[in-house]
Amino acid sequence: EHARYLMCEIGEIRCAVLSNQGDYDKAIALCEAALAVRMDAFGADNVNTAATQSMLGIAYKGKGDRERAIEFCDQALAIQLRALGSTHPATEATNAARQSLLLQHSTESQYS
């Protein structure tokens, strides 16, 4: 169990690095693999699972897939609000990312 947790952590670090380098497809593949392990190990309603979902949302945002990004941010935010509350830094970060996506979508809709 501990080894799977560590592999998720390493995968998520690599996901963040790949996202920062603009290699979103590889980042998404790593995060999706980590999410499957987290779901199996911790369940769907766990803050560790939410962290991976939030990271996936960021990777999808970078790739330009706003719909998927919002979907993952929404899933993560729901868990974080229940488990951590609205003022926890992780919740605030996910909410800020989600709001940014919604604002960007709204702005683009106005001008298209």
Side-chain angles (χ1 to χ4, degrees):
E1 201 62 32
H2 185 68
R4 288 185 352 160
Y5 180 81
L6 284 175
M7 291 307 295
C8 282
E9 292 294 311
I10 292 167
E12 287 179 0
I13 292 167
R14 289 187 62 214
C15 176
V17 169
L18 290 167
S19 285
N20 286 335
Q21 293 173 341
D23 196 346
Y24 301 111
D25 289 328
K26 284 184 183 175
I28 289 167
L30 277 172
C31 274
E32 286 177 343
L35 181 60
V37 172
R38 293 243 194 233
M39 294 280 262
D40 184 52
F42 302 111
D45 198 33
N46 181 279
V47 293
N48 292 302
T49 303
T52 306
Q53 289 169 322
S54 182
M55 192 170 291
L56 258 169
I58 292 166
Y60 274 110
K61 177 184 178 187
K63 186 177 178 177
D65 188 343
R66 263 181 252 101
E67 297 303 317
R68 293 284 288 166
I70 291 169
E71 176 186 334
F72 280 108
C73 284
D74 283 348
Q75 291 171 10
L77 188 59
I79 295 166
Q80 291 167 331
L81 285 169
R82 280 192 304 275
L84 304 172
S86 62
T87 59
H88 190 277
T91 308
E92 290 177 344
T94 301
N95 192 38
R98 182 182 179 277
Q99 293 301 320
S100 171
L101 285 161
L102 293 173
L103 179 62
Q104 183 181 13
H105 180 70
S106 174
T107 302
E108 288 177 0
S109 295
Q110 284 180 336
Y111 295 104
S112 49

